[in-house]
Amino acid sequence: MKNDRSRISVEFLGKRAATPLVLPAGIMGMTWSGMKYTWENGCGIITSKSLTMEPRKGHAGPVIAEFEGGMLNCMGLCNPGIEEGLAEVNEFRKFYEVPVIVSIFATTIDDFLTLTQKVNESRGDFVELNLSCPNVSDEYGLPLAASKIKVAEIVSAVKMVSKIPVIAKLSPNVSGLTEICTAAEAAGADALCLINTLGPGMLIDIDLQRSVLSNRTGGMSGPCVKPVALRAVFEAYSRVKIPIIGTGGVSNGRDAVEMLMAGASLVGVGSALYEGGIGIFEQINQDILTYMDQYGYGTITDIPRLEKM
Amino acid sequence: MKNDRSRISVEFLGKRAATPLVLPAGIMGMTWSGMKYTWENGCGIITSKSLTMEPRKGHAGPVIAEFEGGMLNCMGLCNPGIEEGLAEVNEFRKFYEVPVIVSIFATTIDDFLTLTQKVNESRGDFVELNLSCPNVSDEYGLPLAASKIKVAEIVSAVKMVSKIPVIAKLSPNVSGLTEICTAAEAAGADALCLINTLGPGMLIDIDLQRSVLSNRTGGMSGPCVKPVALRAVFEAYSRVKIPIIGTGGVSNGRDAVEMLMAGASLVGVGSALYEGGIGIFEQINQDILTYMDQYGYGTITDIPRLEKM
Amino acid sequence: MLKRITLPVAEIVNENETIRTFYFEKKLGALPGQFIMLSDLVTGEKPFSISECESGYFGVTIKKLGTFTQALFEKKPGDLLSYRGAYGSSFSISGRNVLLVGGGYATPPLYYLSKELLKAGAELTVVNGARSKKELVFCERFSNLSLSYQRITDAGCLGRAGSSVDIAQVLLEENHYDMVYVSGPELMMRAMRNLLQNYPELNYEFLFERYMKCAIGICGNCTIDPLGIRLCVEGPVLARDKIVQLTEFGEYHRNAAGIKEYF
Amino acid sequence: MLKRITLPVAEIVNENETIRTFYFEKKLGALPGQFIMLSDLVTGEKPFSISECESGYFGVTIKKLGTFTQALFEKKPGDLLSYRGAYGSSFSISGRNVLLVGGGYATPPLYYLSKELLKAGAELTVVNGARSKKELVFCERFSNLSLSYQRITDAGCLGRAGSSVDIAQVLLEENHYDMVYVSGPELMMRAMRNLLQNYPELNYEFLFERYMKCAIGICGNCTIDPLGIRLCVEGPVLARDKIVQLTEFGEYHRNAAGIKEYF
Ligand SMILES: Cc1cc2nc3c(=O)[nH]c(=O)nc-3n(C[C@H](O)[C@H](O)[C@H](O)COP(=O)(O)OP(=O)(O)OC[C@H]3O[C@@H](n4cnc5c(N)ncnc54)[C@H](O)[C@@H]3O)c2cc1C
Ligand SMILES: Cc1cc2nc3c(=O)[nH]c(=O)nc-3n(C[C@H](O)[C@H](O)[C@H](O)COP(=O)(O)OP(=O)(O)OC[C@H]3O[C@@H](n4cnc5c(N)ncnc54)[C@H](O)[C@@H]3O)c2cc1C
Ligand SMILES: Cc1cc2nc3c(=O)[nH]c(=O)nc-3n(C[C@H](O)[C@H](O)[C@H](O)COP(=O)(O)O)c2cc1C
Ligand SMILES: Cc1cc2nc3c(=O)[nH]c(=O)nc-3n(C[C@H](O)[C@H](O)[C@H](O)COP(=O)(O)O)c2cc1C
Ligand code: FES
Ligand code: FES
């Protein structure tokens, strides 16, 4: 019974995921083989790195800085561009029956539409709009996700052209996140992904007297962002009907169950790969099953949610 | 030389603090003897608990929840009310020549003015406007600090009546914090205090299937908020001329030096009392002196700041 | 410091109509005098002293008073509760000939202390006082320990009438103790302090209660004048050197809002 | 996992015109084959293999190539640099009769490996190849170890002309080894793999380089097809069982944007 993995399989927007775990954008999703390796190790749905119109090398190093409870990153949206990126997705999807979310990033509606059209022609199963990257704000200003009007505009434009379900990935670094979530739903988003990185934050090396990150600031992820992710997911879950991918700080099975109780349908696991290693996905799957056994839940959807607020 | 504490004494808005360390609002500042105990242990400036027009018992427990890298709190602005609160300040200030910041919280300009007038008649040295408490938003909606217009309105109104310098304490949970800082400065604020708690966040007990905090959500503080505090301080420092009390996650001397390099004039130390104990203030003072000795800085103001952005 | 732990109540023992001991099967590793913050995550979270603490279980002995303790009294074995801790300072395990003076629901932590003192080879005299016989708790447990045990009620229904302070006075006159531990209502403890002024060489430790919220030394609600020490960190157990300095002791305490309430 | 450490460069040794060894006085506790991410916090942060590692110091041997390594070459002893790590997999310390084949700036990590192998009692033959005599590094260090040492350059200026693969071929024919370690340019390593196909029983380990950003296994930039393993965590040292499966090896690698670049 415990090893009956079908108990934690989840249906998500018409596709079946073997496990509730999602590899979030920017983690291991650069190459087709990276996608495969993660899936082989127990991840249910794979998100590609956020793809842009042109290739981007990202920021110089250091692009990662650790602190107590998490890490900052300023990768700077490095990616091979939409063409090469989709080639990696196609290469993976050609051989594996595993749902893939194609994350795309742009700063104009036109570019979002062009990207979506390319995704339409790929083997990607869902398109995720990264409206919330905090690491390129020097380049592009406030993230789009800070404005519910812009979020709604982009989502509804993309919905007009997309042949596959559309996920809006939002930022916690805004006032009134719940309203932005309801705006995304009203504009037609099929699902939400909450949260992108927190902050941003900065760390200083007091010996070299420089910021540690090359780009000075970076987005926070890892265990310490979990409380913010849970709050964002629960508040959104209380207000919207569309499913939510709960992402942020999940590092073990108990965290994953918390995320499900907060209202998430799927659970993202990103930064935990660092301390947990590639075995973290299977570990979390097993821990969810253990929890289900302890309280007598047959399938993962039996795990109760908190009462809505 | 190392034990020459005058090297870390700081002048702040016309008053002299024996050390650069500030006890932030809501930490140990409920009672006159709590203020005294903190000062005796190496803290330079004391902030009172945020005082409101009427006494508040705050939320039921649990009001504190720990997680990896920090804690959440939903104290709920418990305080004895402005009269009793100022009595505690006066009792302390009558016997000790230690600068005290009186923190006040209200939701209307009228109440802020009434509170300020009472502070005028107290022995308090500065008044701090808590524009940013995240733990009473169920009661009062979005914190005032989310709107640069409201921040400016309140600050300039208070400046009209206050006989002592006015500090604006702001929230990191907003879009465009730097603009809010410049708005506060333009409205006449004499200093900024950055940051109040992050998030808010939420934690779930998956056994009891309830949120851990009685009030469901609470503000994040402790080591993991340091990167956000540093970023907020540095961005504000780059844009404003008024001094900044850098608060958030400072737990040791190196953190304190980071905060100074980011542009803070004084450094708040709050949640670190939990893991560091009451000795944390003196420990940080000593660690700052050690750092100064290592790099040959005579006085604390010799520690260089990062180049403004 | 321990994180929050949620687990089923293993056993509930009715000590009397209003006092029950809740047992949990968990190694707590607390020292005598320390407390936990106990919660149902619905009604509140409150401090309770450890009354028993062995390697496989621990217990807290709780008096039904207001909303929260009433909710606790609805719990059955198997129901989940959540605690954090243990927190706070502890009784020193010192003294060869020791007097312990308890009152009401505050006596049980002295039971855990007694067991540890006996392990350390001390000779103990325990005075357990309460208003009435019904309110005396832990009598059997104390009687089973090898110590001199005296019960007392205000009404005298157990043969003696008076307060535990009265007995303590007689004992102090007739014996030579090198340590006194006291845990009881604050006014009883104040009387004990006054009594102990006559024994300037005698060391003592009292267990204090103040309104606690964070229990980890940051909120400042539990400080005591004029020292400003936090009874959740530097307390709840204080020794003579600190106690003699307290101006607040027996006079007032501060409520949840931080407002002084006089005894 | 170690956090970032900033410390002065203790010593810089010029190995030749374009290769220098930077020493740091710090206990790193790395295993042979592991690397650090080194940065000046101005120009960038890049991976470098540990070439020496003793209890009181460690060293990395760096070839001047682009912006970052050029900036490193401006540094003097006493200047501060910052590193994190050590990261990655390491060479197994196994085999009694061992062949080590190095090429160019990738040879130095084999020096640290050699020292550890000698401690474990193995017999070593080291082949150190480079394009020219000037480019050969660590010759003296290797000569001071008790092992059989062979130097080779493309031009033959040291008596022998050819590549380290040529020498390895002869050695493999004439001796019986039970382990082969290789660290060098990828095309040299590919030639070694092809050569080693003739010895199906012989175990071997190669040190790989791929573009690294996070170095902690999350960004996915350093995965290698078709396995998808991360060369910063499951690598940079891979053993025969993995190496024979690699389709990317010697064919292409991915640059900072993740775009394939063919060799
Ligand atoms: C260190 C310490 C150890 C204690 N040990 C025990 C024990 O072993 N057994 C026991 O029955 N009680 C103990 N108490 C007291 C116990 O915490 C209160 O009885 C309980 O909180 C009452 O809660 P209530 O909601 O039922 O009653 P309420 O109606 O809320 O209060 C009744 C009384 O309890 C006090 N009280 C309420 N909340 C708190 C709080 N958060 N902190 C401190 N006091 C509070 C009030 O001041 C009031 O006098 C201890 C208190 C402290 C500080
Ligand atoms: C595991 C590992 C161990 C290494 N050990 C050593 C060593 O001991 N000594 C040494 O001199 N070099 C070593 N390298 C290579 C070293 O990282 C590059 O030479 C260095 O990054 C060049 O940087 P640059 O800015 O000077 O040159 P650039 O002009 O940026 O690049 C020159 C070459 O270095 C490669 N390179 C650049 N950046 C990276 C990066 N972030 N990760 C991997 N390769 C990169 C490029 O692909 C290019 O081929 C190692 C690389 C890896 C992955
Ligand atoms: C190194 C790194 C790169 C990331 N890149 C992206 C990205 O390209 N697009 C995106 O939407 N989110 C990106 N994120 C955010 C993650 O997808 C995720 O939302 C966040 O890290 C919180 O989850 P975690 O705590 O499990 O890592 C990145 C995060 C990290 C740590
Ligand atoms: C228990 C607790 C109570 C607090 N109460 C207040 C308050 O009343 N007013 C206020 O402005 N900030 C309050 N804060 C925020 C702190 O003053 C400080 O800004 C924040 O905790 C970050 O600093 P730290 O990480 O050093 O604790 C409180 C924080 C904590 C942990
Ligand atoms: S209860 Fe908060 S300081 Fe003691
Ligand atoms: S460098 Fe990021 S996964 Fe290896």
Side-chain angles (χ1 to χ4, degrees):
Chain A
M1 170 89 162
K2 170 139 184 201
N3 286 315
D4 178 3
R5 285 272 298 270
S6 71
R7 294 168 62 203
I8 56 166
S9 149
V10 182
E11 160 118 14
F12 179 70
L13 302 178
K15 302 266 170 170
R16 184 145 286 276
T19 84
L21 305 187
V22 175
L23 183 74
I27 315 287
M28 283 295 279
M30 286 286 274
T31 66
W32 71 268
S33 62
M35 299 180 190
K36 187 197 73 158
Y37 187 54
T38 329
W39 164 74
E40 281 169 351
N41 281 283
C43 191
I45 298 191
I46 308 297
T47 313
S48 77
K49 177 76 194 171
S50 290
L51 302 175
T52 52
M53 297 286 284
E54 299 299 328
R56 292 175 58 97
K57 298 206 171 225
H59 297 302
V63 287
I64 295 276
E66 271 183 79
F67 59 91
E68 207 183 317
M71 61 175 81
L72 302 179
N73 90 79
C74 67
M75 304 305 298
L77 282 175
C78 49
N79 79 91
I82 186 74
E83 312 286 353
E84 294 275 339
L86 288 175
E88 301 279 352
V89 170
N90 291 338
E91 182 74 10
F92 171 63
R93 206 55 190 77
K94 194 162 71 191
F95 296 107
Y96 301 94
E97 196 46 55
V98 178
V100 171
I101 301 169
V102 179
S103 171
I104 57 176
F105 176 88
T107 52
T108 64
I109 292 189
D110 278 358
D111 283 356
F112 265 116
L113 294 182
T114 311
L115 292 169
T116 304
Q117 265 144 355
K118 298 198 190 237
V119 177
N120 278 340
E121 284 145 37
S122 78
R123 294 175 187 262
D125 300 275
F126 315 101
V127 62
E128 180 171 282
L129 311 178
N130 176 356
L131 303 166
S132 45
C133 182
N135 295 330
V136 287
S137 63
D138 288 0
E139 232 168 304
Y140 302 125
L142 270 189
L144 296 164
S147 150
K148 65 181 171 191
I149 297 163
K150 283 194 194 141
V151 165
E153 264 176 27
I154 297 167
V155 169
S156 57
V158 168
K159 272 303 283 182
M160 304 273 279
V161 305
S162 179
K163 296 185 179 153
I164 53 178
V166 175
I167 304 165
K169 176 145 181 195
L170 298 173
S171 165
N173 314 321
V174 297
S175 329
L177 174 56
T178 317
E179 286 173 32
I180 299 171
C181 293
T182 51
E185 180 184 44
D190 298 288
L192 300 175
C193 178
L194 297 170
I195 57 175
N196 210 316
T197 53
L198 185 64
M202 162 176 178
L203 288 165
I204 297 172
D205 186 299
I206 65 172
D207 297 303
L208 276 162
Q209 309 191 339
R210 306 264 317 175
S211 66
V212 173
L213 291 179
S214 64
N215 194 44
R216 196 169 44 75
T217 67
M220 281 167 58
S221 63
C224 73
V225 311
K226 186 186 71 171
V228 177
L230 286 171
R231 190 260 306 166
V233 167
F234 178 68
E235 290 182 355
Y237 164 72
S238 299
R239 298 285 177 75
V240 303
K241 292 200 176 54
I242 52 178
I244 301 164
I245 306 175
T247 303
V250 174
S251 314
N252 57 48
R254 295 185 69 84
D255 293 341
V257 174
E258 272 186 90
M259 203 54 102
L260 294 169
M261 280 192 184
S265 300
L266 295 169
V267 179
V269 176
S271 304
L273 243 84
Y274 163 38
E275 302 220 305
I278 194 73
I280 190 70
F281 298 105
E282 203 43 45
Q283 182 68 54
I284 294 178
N285 290 333
Q286 290 305 320
D287 289 350
I288 295 175
L289 282 165
T290 304
Y291 175 82
M292 287 166 58
D293 287 345
Q294 187 184 347
Y295 290 100
Y297 302 126
T299 66
I300 191 160
T301 45
D302 294 341
I303 296 176
R305 270 80 197 286
L306 291 194
E307 213 174 290
K308 296 191 181 192
M309 53 174 233
Chain B
M1 172 87 162
K2 170 142 183 200
N3 286 313
D4 178 2
R5 287 271 299 268
S6 72
R7 294 169 60 203
I8 55 165
S9 148
V10 182
E11 161 118 13
F12 179 70
L13 302 177
K15 302 265 170 171
R16 184 145 287 276
T19 84
L21 305 187
V22 176
L23 184 73
I27 314 287
M28 283 295 280
M30 285 286 274
T31 67
W32 71 267
S33 62
M35 299 180 189
K36 188 197 72 158
Y37 187 54
T38 329
W39 163 74
E40 280 169 354
N41 280 283
C43 190
I45 297 191
I46 308 295
T47 312
S48 76
K49 177 75 195 170
S50 291
L51 303 174
T52 52
M53 298 284 284
E54 299 299 328
R56 293 174 58 98
K57 298 206 169 220
H59 297 302
V63 288
I64 295 275
E66 272 184 78
F67 58 90
E68 208 181 318
M71 62 175 82
L72 303 179
N73 90 79
C74 66
M75 304 306 297
L77 283 174
C78 49
N79 80 92
I82 187 75
E83 311 286 352
E84 294 275 339
L86 288 175
E88 301 279 352
V89 170
N90 290 339
E91 181 74 11
F92 171 63
R93 207 54 189 78
K94 195 160 74 192
F95 296 106
Y96 301 95
E97 196 46 56
V98 179
V100 171
I101 301 169
V102 179
S103 172
I104 57 176
F105 176 88
T107 52
T108 65
I109 293 188
D110 276 359
D111 283 356
F112 265 117
L113 294 182
T114 311
L115 291 169
T116 305
Q117 264 144 354
K118 299 199 190 237
V119 178
N120 278 340
E121 283 144 37
S122 78
R123 293 176 189 263
D125 300 274
F126 315 101
V127 62
E128 181 172 281
L129 311 179
N130 176 355
L131 303 166
S132 46
C133 183
N135 295 330
V136 288
S137 62
D138 288 359
E139 232 169 306
Y140 302 126
L142 270 188
L144 296 164
S147 150
K148 66 181 171 192
I149 296 163
K150 284 195 193 140
V151 165
E153 265 176 24
I154 297 167
V155 169
S156 57
V158 167
K159 272 303 283 181
M160 303 273 279
V161 305
S162 179
K163 295 186 180 153
I164 55 178
V166 175
I167 304 164
K169 176 145 182 196
L170 298 172
S171 165
N173 314 320
V174 298
S175 328
L177 175 56
T178 318
E179 286 174 33
I180 299 172
C181 293
T182 51
E185 180 183 44
D190 298 288
L192 300 176
C193 179
L194 296 169
I195 56 173
N196 209 317
T197 52
L198 186 63
M202 162 176 176
L203 287 165
I204 297 172
D205 186 300
I206 62 172
D207 297 303
L208 277 163
Q209 309 192 338
R210 306 262 321 172
S211 65
V212 173
L213 291 178
S214 64
N215 195 43
R216 196 168 44 74
T217 66
M220 281 168 58
S221 62
C224 73
V225 310
K226 186 186 71 173
V228 177
L230 287 170
R231 188 261 306 167
V233 167
F234 178 67
E235 290 182 355
Y237 164 72
S238 298
R239 298 286 177 74
V240 303
K241 292 200 174 56
I242 53 179
I244 300 164
I245 306 176
T247 304
V250 173
S251 315
N252 57 48
R254 295 185 70 85
D255 293 340
V257 173
E258 272 185 270
M259 202 55 101
L260 294 169
M261 279 191 184
S265 300
L266 295 169
V267 179
V269 177
S271 304
L273 242 84
Y274 162 39
E275 302 221 306
I278 194 72
I280 190 70
F281 298 105
E282 202 44 44
Q283 181 67 53
I284 294 178
N285 290 334
Q286 290 305 321
D287 289 350
I288 295 174
L289 282 164
T290 305
Y291 175 83
M292 288 165 58
D293 287 345
Q294 187 184 347
Y295 290 100
Y297 302 125
T299 66
I300 191 160
T301 45
D302 294 341
I303 296 176
R305 271 71 197 293
L306 292 194
E307 214 173 288
K308 297 191 183 194
M309 54 176 233
Chain C
M1 196 79 54
L2 284 170
K3 302 255 155 135
R4 174 175 298 286
I5 290 176
T6 299
L7 79 182
V9 181
E11 203 187 322
I12 300 174
V13 171
N14 284 354
E15 308 292 346
N16 63 30
E17 264 174 38
T18 62
I19 298 188
R20 289 185 189 167
T21 300
F22 291 70
Y23 289 97
F24 300 92
E25 279 172 4
K26 187 88 195 174
K27 186 184 158 98
L28 181 64
L31 300 167
Q34 290 193 301
F35 65 94
I36 57 165
M37 292 297 281
L38 187 66
S39 180
D40 57 0
L41 301 193
V42 177
T43 325
E45 184 193 43
K46 306 273 170 166
F48 299 99
S49 304
I50 315 298
S51 53
E52 294 193 53
C53 190
E54 301 296 332
S55 67
Y57 69 92
F58 70 92
V60 286
T61 303
I62 296 178
K63 184 171 172 68
K64 187 157 104 179
L65 283 173
T67 339
F68 179 65
T69 47
Q70 276 161 25
L72 285 185
F73 271 55
E74 307 281 309
K75 297 290 166 195
K76 307 268 158 289
D79 288 352
L80 295 171
L81 285 175
S82 184
Y83 73 90
R84 55 193 177 97
Y87 294 123
S89 65
S90 57
F91 290 112
S92 62
I93 306 296
S94 65
R96 308 294 315 156
N97 198 15
V98 171
L99 176 63
L100 298 96
V101 186
Y105 75 72
T107 302
L110 295 182
Y111 175 67
Y112 177 32
L113 173 62
S114 296
K115 284 170 99 176
E116 296 300 306
L117 285 167
L118 288 171
K119 277 189 208 160
E123 308 238 314
L124 316 192
T125 305
V126 174
V127 180
N128 188 0
R131 257 170 300 170
S132 67
K133 189 180 165 190
K134 279 197 309 192
E135 283 171 78
L136 268 183
V137 291
F138 272 49
C139 291
E140 213 181 298
R141 290 192 193 68
F142 276 113
S143 306
N144 289 335
L145 297 181
S146 69
L147 43 71
S148 155
Y149 179 58
Q150 316 233 9
R151 300 171 299 170
I152 179 105
T153 64
D154 292 356
C157 51
L158 285 164
R160 293 211 196 190
S163 75
S164 41
V165 183
D166 299 333
I167 301 201
Q169 181 162 16
V170 176
L171 288 167
L172 283 163
E173 277 162 18
E174 292 174 358
N175 301 275
H176 177 78
Y177 297 103
D178 51 10
M179 187 69 184
V180 179
Y181 299 101
V182 185
S183 177
E186 189 143 331
L187 295 177
M188 176 274 239
M189 295 207 298
R190 185 169 67 171
M192 278 302 301
R193 184 190 59 176
N194 293 344
L195 172 62
L196 286 160
Q197 273 171 351
N198 305 324
Y199 301 86
E201 304 299 311
L202 186 51
N203 202 0
Y204 56 78
E205 293 175 356
F206 290 7
L207 193 155
F208 286 83
E209 292 186 5
R210 279 296 177 275
Y211 204 96
M212 288 185 183
K213 297 187 152 182
C214 73
I216 57 173
I218 61 171
C219 76
N221 212 102
C222 69
T223 56
I224 186 159
D225 295 339
L227 297 180
I229 52 176
R230 302 155 295 177
L231 287 180
C232 68
V233 173
E234 288 84 13
V237 175
L238 298 180
R240 179 166 196 150
D241 63 328
K242 292 280 182 310
I243 295 171
V244 294
Q245 298 179 60
L246 301 176
T247 50
E248 163 170 341
F249 178 28
E251 298 292 328
Y252 58 88
H253 61 107
R254 289 185 179 83
N255 68 14
I259 294 178
K260 285 180 193 161
E261 289 184 356
Y262 289 83
F263 285 105
Chain D
M1 196 80 53
L2 283 171
K3 302 254 155 136
R4 174 175 297 287
I5 290 175
T6 299
L7 78 183
V9 181
E11 204 186 322
I12 300 175
V13 171
N14 285 353
E15 307 293 346
N16 64 31
E17 263 175 38
T18 61
I19 299 188
R20 289 185 189 167
T21 300
F22 291 70
Y23 288 99
F24 299 92
E25 280 172 3
K26 186 87 193 173
K27 186 184 159 96
L28 181 63
L31 300 167
Q34 291 193 300
F35 65 94
I36 57 165
M37 293 295 283
L38 187 66
S39 181
D40 57 0
L41 301 192
V42 178
T43 325
E45 183 192 44
K46 305 272 171 168
F48 298 99
S49 304
I50 315 298
S51 53
E52 294 193 53
C53 190
E54 301 295 333
S55 68
Y57 68 92
F58 70 91
V60 285
T61 303
I62 296 177
K63 182 167 173 73
K64 187 157 105 176
L65 283 172
T67 341
F68 179 66
T69 47
Q70 276 161 26
L72 285 186
F73 272 54
E74 306 283 308
K75 297 291 167 195
K76 307 267 159 288
D79 287 351
L80 295 172
L81 285 176
S82 185
Y83 73 90
R84 55 192 176 99
Y87 294 124
S89 66
S90 58
F91 290 112
S92 63
I93 306 296
S94 65
R96 308 293 317 155
N97 199 14
V98 171
L99 176 64
L100 299 96
V101 185
Y105 74 74
T107 302
L110 295 181
Y111 175 68
Y112 176 32
L113 173 63
S114 296
K115 284 171 100 177
E116 296 299 306
L117 286 168
L118 287 172
K119 276 189 209 160
E123 306 241 312
L124 316 192
T125 305
V126 174
V127 180
N128 188 0
R131 255 170 301 171
S132 68
K133 187 180 166 188
K134 278 195 312 193
E135 284 171 76
L136 267 183
V137 291
F138 272 49
C139 292
E140 214 182 297
R141 291 192 192 70
F142 277 113
S143 306
N144 288 335
L145 297 182
S146 68
L147 44 72
S148 156
Y149 179 59
Q150 316 233 10
R151 302 170 298 171
I152 179 106
T153 62
D154 293 354
C157 52
L158 286 164
R160 293 211 196 190
S163 75
S164 39
V165 183
D166 299 333
I167 301 202
Q169 181 161 17
V170 176
L171 287 167
L172 282 163
E173 279 163 17
E174 293 175 358
N175 300 274
H176 177 79
Y177 297 104
D178 51 11
M179 187 71 186
V180 179
Y181 299 101
V182 184
S183 178
E186 191 143 329
L187 295 178
M188 175 275 239
M189 295 208 298
R190 185 169 66 170
M192 278 303 298
R193 183 191 59 175
N194 293 343
L195 172 60
L196 286 160
Q197 274 172 348
N198 305 325
Y199 301 86
E201 303 298 309
L202 187 51
N203 201 0
Y204 56 78
E205 292 175 357
F206 290 8
L207 194 155
F208 285 83
E209 292 186 6
R210 280 295 176 275
Y211 204 95
M212 288 185 183
K213 296 188 153 180
C214 73
I216 57 173
I218 60 171
C219 75
N221 211 102
C222 69
T223 57
I224 187 159
D225 296 339
L227 298 180
I229 53 176
R230 302 154 296 178
L231 287 179
C232 67
V233 172
E234 287 84 14
V237 174
L238 298 180
R240 180 166 195 152
D241 62 330
K242 293 279 182 309
I243 295 172
V244 293
Q245 299 179 60
L246 300 177
T247 50
E248 164 170 339
F249 178 29
E251 299 292 328
Y252 59 89
H253 61 107
R254 289 187 179 81
N255 68 13
I259 294 179
K260 285 180 192 162
E261 288 185 354
Y262 289 82
F263 284 104

